[in-house]
């Protein structure tokens, strides 16, 4: 029994592999290549894929997966739009509270949790694979928004002079921040270093006083929360005034330990859900993850709060946090960091700022005297920029941002996440697209959150995935349409129960290796299985798919196709019909084996309104001229014929106007046609009459144009209609021409005189100006005669030495 089941299983696997190899060929649309066996698999193949659930849609021999195709292809194959399953994604807004509009004077009326700066707050998105869902997000900075500021200060010995200036920081900063917000709280903490070697000296004397000489310093510590966030500036001054400086051995400090505790110990610090600012003040560098090995500390920082009596107690147990770990915790707790550092370490902390979103760096003076202005400037810089971030996305989900900022500045990609130069009361918008590229394995809903960095408000988005069709809910289990209840009939096809295969679940997996079934897949007197165009499954042919998805095999034995019909101009059925089972079915007005013969006679219509000019027959839209003298597309060209108009010109002229070369022999040579005079050209016969008609325009002996028509009626009689008045050219009007020439000459003469006069005036003015300039530059005095010479001459003896 085991051997029999093994053989059956082997043949099933082999058969399935061969079928898959035949179907999964390269090329074609994504819908066809998906080889979908159900409607759910089809709609996950792409946003343009649809499933035809019409029961009689498939041609004989086509596989169930042929129900899945592009929407346009399904319609062209005859599937009614009502029978196409094509669920679309959509969005819904669950919470959409308007952003807050208020002024500073009304600050007392609203609690921080009642202030709204981001809209909407909660959405639900139904996602179809490959189809993005887009929504708009609005952000507006609220005026008079509450602020919590925690001042974290380095108390190593090098910061001794800075501590004196910070002691009065509380009340001074309170006064300045009142200009920004009426709800401000401040806190204070300090740090030095891990209390192990080699960061500090662990000798008893140094543990009591780490400073040298007569300096009185406090014992070293890692981090100490001196003052929880409070609105009492005087209490800040009082407690900070009691602080003493400490010391350590190495230059870098343990500030990262302190930042981590400030971020995660929200309850102890007293953070509210408002704007949170952390001012980190130091004049040295920092230790980070890995440096703890110097003190024998190898356990990574756990990112949890370890404050006891406001002191960090695990500095000797956990390593310093990494920069990435700090970024995560600062972001989770919506803390914006201001690094107030001395000029010497500006470059280091600016590099750190680039790694920590929503952070700023300010230059701290040597004694921290400028710390208040530094905080104000840094806060304005941070609050003028909004940067959106999202929580971790589920597998297969992508998100795209586009920003619409102030002054028409738009951003895409990473720049689409942020807007800069935002003032209080400014409103900016973001366009956010969420796309699911695949369905979750269990199809469960997911939730993601989007929020501006440094703000507590966020948008919650519930993601619901469309992985099944509506018609699958209407499936009939154990349906009689699936071979006596061996499957569920859903969406126009059978989904077979376990152990059953076939289009209608008509076979058991134990029967597929039967050679007798191949006989049902052969045509009479043929040895080919399924015409070599498919596979035999359960005694039925499943036709192979082509690389070009528009080309299909069909028929009981896959003997039909839609691409081997006669061609015309390189097109199947000339592009004027459909190929069905290798025979062209032509559209109306077309015939022939390749539908290349048009029954439309409009292309054969001559200019006189007759088909082929009455000298041929119209065959397949082309004239076949029966008169050998005539040719051309409408049998109107006669190379050996004298033109009708030229041939009858002289006779028409002599009979209508009594002039021309034949006026003397008119009665003998020109009486072979009937002539009728008409008043104007509009009265001439027009094209469309049953008799052949020619319109003529000729010139007579007086150079006048005359118009006539020539036609032959059904009795072979020549009929001529002539316009009774020729069109003669009129002579030129001499007087206006002469007057125009004379006027032109006079005007040109006047213009030349005016130009000459203008040039003379310009020349004279230039000469006069030149004279005036030379007169001003004269080196002789105009009051004396320049040619006068004195009569007295003085001569000096060169040998005279003045003795």
């Amino acid at each position: 029994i085991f051997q029999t089941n093994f053989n059956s299983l082997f043949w099933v696997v082999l058969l399935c592999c061969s079928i898959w190899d035949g179907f999964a060929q390269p090329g074609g649309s994504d819908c066809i290549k998906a080889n979908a066996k159900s409607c759910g698999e089809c709609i996950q193949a792409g946003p343009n894929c649809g499933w035809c659930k019409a029961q009689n849609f498939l041609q004989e021999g086509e596989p169930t997966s042929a129900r899945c195709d592009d929407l346009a292809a399904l319609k062209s194959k005859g599937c009614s739009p009502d029978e196409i399953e094509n669920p679309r994604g959509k969005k819904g807004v669950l919470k959409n509270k308007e952003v807050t509009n208020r002024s500073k004077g009304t600050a007392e009326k609203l609690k921080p949790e009642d202030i709204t700066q981001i809209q909407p707050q909660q959405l639900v998105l139904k996602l179809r694979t490959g189809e993005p869902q887009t929504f708009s997000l609005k952000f507006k900075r609220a005026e008079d928004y509450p602020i919590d500021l925690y001042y974290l200060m380095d108390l190593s010995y090098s910061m001794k002079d800075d501590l004196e200036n910070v002691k009065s920081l509380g009340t001074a900063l309170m006064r300045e921040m009142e200009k920004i917000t009426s709800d401000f709280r401040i806190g204070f903490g300090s740090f030095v270093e891990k209390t192990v070697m080699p960061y500090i000296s662990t000798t008893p004397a140094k543990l009591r006083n780490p400073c040298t000489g007569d300096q009185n310093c406090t014992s070293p510590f890692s981090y100490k929360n001196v003052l929880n966030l409070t609105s009492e500036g005087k209490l800040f001054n009082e407690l900070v005034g009691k602080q003493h400086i400490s010391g350590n051995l190495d230059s870098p400090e343990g500030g990262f330990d302190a930042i981590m505790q400030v971020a995660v110990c929200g309850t102890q610090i007293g953070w509210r859900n408002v704007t949170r600012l952390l001012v980190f003040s130091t004049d040295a560098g920092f230790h980070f993850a890995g440096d703890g090995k110097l003190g024998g500390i190898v356990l990574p920082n756990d990112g949890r709060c370890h404050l006891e009596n406001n002191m960090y107690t695990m500095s000797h147990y956990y390593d310093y946090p990494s920069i990435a770990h700090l970024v995560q915790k600062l972001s989770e707790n919506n803390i914006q960091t201001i690094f107030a550092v001395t000029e010497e370490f500006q470059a280091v902390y600016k590099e750190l700022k680039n790694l920590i979103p929503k952070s700023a760096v300010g230059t701290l003076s040597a004694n921290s005297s400028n710390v208040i202005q530094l905080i104000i400037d840094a806060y304005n810089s941070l609050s003028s920029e909004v940067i959106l971030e999202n929580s971790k996305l589920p597998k297969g989900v992508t998100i795209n941002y586009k920003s619409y900022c102030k002054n028409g500045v738009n951003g895409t990609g990473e720049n689409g996440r942020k807007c800069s130069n935002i003032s209080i009361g400014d409103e900016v918008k973001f366009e956010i697209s969420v796309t699911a590229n695949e369905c979750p394995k269990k199809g469960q809903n997911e939730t993601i959150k989007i929020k501006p960095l440094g703000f507590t408000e966020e948008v919650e988005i519930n993601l619901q995935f469309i992985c099944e069709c509506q018609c699958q809910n209407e499936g009939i289990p154990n349906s009689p349409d699936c071979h006596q209840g061996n499957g569920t009939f859903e969406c126009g096809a059978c989904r077979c129960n376990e152990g059953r295969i076939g289009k209608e679940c008509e076979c058991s997996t134990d029967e597929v290796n039967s050679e007798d079934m191949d006989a049902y897949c052969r045509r009479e007197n043929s040895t080919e299985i399924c015409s070599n165009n498919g596979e035999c499954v359960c005694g039925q042919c499943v036709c192979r798919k082509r690389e070009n998805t528009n080309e299909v095999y069909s028929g009981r034995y896959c003997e039909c196709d839609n691409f081997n019909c006669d061609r015309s101009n390189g097109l199947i059925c000339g592009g004027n019909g459909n190929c069905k089972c290798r025979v062209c079915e032509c559209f109306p007005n077309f015939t022939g084996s390749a539908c290349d013969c048009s029954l439309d006679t409009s292309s054969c219509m001559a200019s006189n309104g007759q088909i082929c000019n009455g000298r041929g027959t119209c065959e397949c839209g082309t004239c076949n001229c029966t008169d050998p003298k005539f040719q051309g597309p409408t049998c109107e060209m006669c190379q050996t014929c004298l033109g009708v108009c030229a041939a009858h010109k002289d006779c028409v002229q002599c009979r209508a106007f009594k002039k021309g070369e034949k006026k003397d022999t008119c009665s003998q040579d020109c009486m072979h046609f009937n002539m009728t005079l008409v008043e104007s050209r509009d009265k001439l016969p027009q094209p469309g009459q049953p008799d052949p008609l020619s319109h003529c325009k000729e010139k007579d002996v007086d150079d006048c144009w005359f118009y006539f028509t020539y036609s032959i009626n059904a009795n072979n009689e020549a009929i001529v209609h002539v316009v009774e008045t020729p069109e003669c050219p009129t002579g030129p009007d001499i007087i206006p021409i002469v007057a125009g020439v004379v006027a032109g000459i006079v005007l040109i003469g006047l213009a030349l005189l005016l130009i000459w006069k203008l040039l003379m005036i310009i020349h004279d003015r230039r000469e006069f100006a030149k004279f005036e300039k030379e007169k001003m530059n004269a080196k002789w005095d105009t009051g004396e005669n320049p040619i006068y010479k004195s009569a007295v001459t003085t001569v000096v003896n060169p040998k005279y030495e003045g003795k």
Side-chain angles (χ1 to χ4, degrees), residues 63-135:
T64 302
S65 59
R67 292 181 176 274
C68 182
D69 207 338
D70 295 333
L71 300 176
L74 290 177
K75 293 177 183 178
S76 66
K77 291 178 181 179
C79 188
S80 169
D82 296 336
E83 297 287 350
I84 297 177
E85 281 287 320
N86 179 35
R88 311 309 303 178
K90 60 182 179 180
K91 64 182 178 183
V93 179
L94 303 180
K95 187 177 180 182
N96 193 32
K97 185 179 178 182
E98 288 288 338
V99 291
T100 302
N101 293 308
R102 68 166 187 168
S103 59
K104 189 175 178 182
T106 61
E108 297 79 10
K109 299 179 182 179
L110 288 177
K111 298 179 180 179
E113 56 269 21
D114 295 329
I115 301 174
T116 303
Q117 298 184 109
I118 192 169
Q119 179 188 2
Q121 295 81 39
Q122 191 174 14
L123 300 99
V124 58
L125 299 182
K126 291 190 175 182
L127 300 177
R128 162 99 181 258
T129 302
E131 180 188 25
Q133 291 298 317
T134 303
F135 66 93

Side-chain angles (χ1 to χ4, degrees), residues 6 95 143 190 202 259 271 327 399 467-468 526 644 654:
F6 178 82
K95 187 177 180 182
E143 185 177 353
S190 59
T202 55
I259 293 176
W271 290 115
V327 169
I399 192 167
C467 302
E468 299 291 347
S526 175
V644 172
C654 78

Side-chain angles (χ1 to χ4, degrees), residues 763-778:
H763 179 266
D764 290 345
R765 289 183 177 179
R766 285 182 177 176
E767 290 296 322
F768 182 75
K770 183 178 179 182
F771 169 76
E772 290 291 332
K773 183 178 180 182
E774 290 177 350
K775 181 178 177 182
M776 293 292 293
N777 294 336

Side-chain angles (χ1 to χ4, degrees), residues 653-697:
Q653 190 178 180
C654 78
R655 287 189 62 178
F657 310 113
K658 309 299 184 194
K659 56 184 177 182
E661 295 181 0
K662 293 188 177 183
K663 69 175 181 176
D664 296 330
T665 60
C666 193
S667 57
Q668 293 84 15
D669 298 338
C670 301
M671 302 306 292
H672 58 279
F673 57 81
N674 298 324
M675 188 183 73
T676 304
L677 294 176
V678 297
E679 295 178 0
S680 64
R681 293 170 60 186
D682 296 337
K683 303 294 184 179
L684 291 174
Q686 300 300 318
Q689 66 178 26
D691 300 330
L693 178 68
S694 297
H695 277 258
C696 301
K697 176 185 177 183

Side-chain angles (χ1 to χ4, degrees), residues 653-780:
Q653 190 178 180
C654 78
R655 287 189 62 178
F657 310 113
K658 309 299 184 194
K659 56 184 177 182
E661 295 181 0
K662 293 188 177 183
K663 69 175 181 176
D664 296 330
T665 60
C666 193
S667 57
Q668 293 84 15
D669 298 338
C670 301
M671 302 306 292
H672 58 279
F673 57 81
N674 298 324
M675 188 183 73
T676 304
L677 294 176
V678 297
E679 295 178 0
S680 64
R681 293 170 60 186
D682 296 337
K683 303 294 184 179
L684 291 174
Q686 300 300 318
Q689 66 178 26
D691 300 330
L693 178 68
S694 297
H695 277 258
C696 301
K697 176 185 177 183
E698 298 292 340
K699 187 176 288 187
D700 64 13
V701 292
D702 298 325
D703 284 338
C704 297
W705 293 101
F706 65 96
Y707 299 87
F708 66 94
T709 61
Y710 185 89
S711 61
I712 306 286
N713 63 16
N715 297 325
N716 252 354
E717 296 175 346
I719 307 296
V720 175
H721 291 75
V722 186
V723 178
E724 61 186 5
T725 305
E727 291 182 1
C728 297
T730 58
D733 194 349
I734 301 300
I735 294 176
I737 295 175
V738 172
V741 172
V742 172
I745 293 172
V746 171
L747 291 175
I748 292 172
L750 289 174
L752 293 175
L753 287 173
L754 290 173
I755 293 171
W756 177 82
K757 181 64 177 175
L758 179 63
L759 292 176
M760 289 298 101
I761 292 172
I762 294 172
H763 179 266
D764 290 345
R765 289 183 177 179
R766 285 182 177 176
E767 290 296 322
F768 182 75
K770 183 178 179 182
F771 169 76
E772 290 291 332
K773 183 178 180 182
E774 290 177 350
K775 181 178 177 182
M776 293 292 293
N777 294 336
K779 296 182 180 180
W780 41 269

Side-chain angles (χ1 to χ4, degrees), residues 390 393 397-401 417 432-435 448 450 461:
N390 52 268
L393 298 174
V397 175
T398 57
I399 192 167
N400 184 57
Y401 294 86
R417 291 176 175 265
I432 303 173
S433 294
V434 181
T435 307
I448 61 173
I450 299 175
I461 306 173

Side-chain angles (χ1 to χ4, degrees), residues 384-403:
S384 66
E385 183 177 52
V386 57
I387 303 174
L388 297 183
E389 69 165 2
N390 52 268
S391 59
K392 184 179 179 181
L393 298 174
K395 183 181 179 182
V397 175
T398 57
I399 192 167
N400 184 57
Y401 294 86
K402 186 174 182 180
S403 60

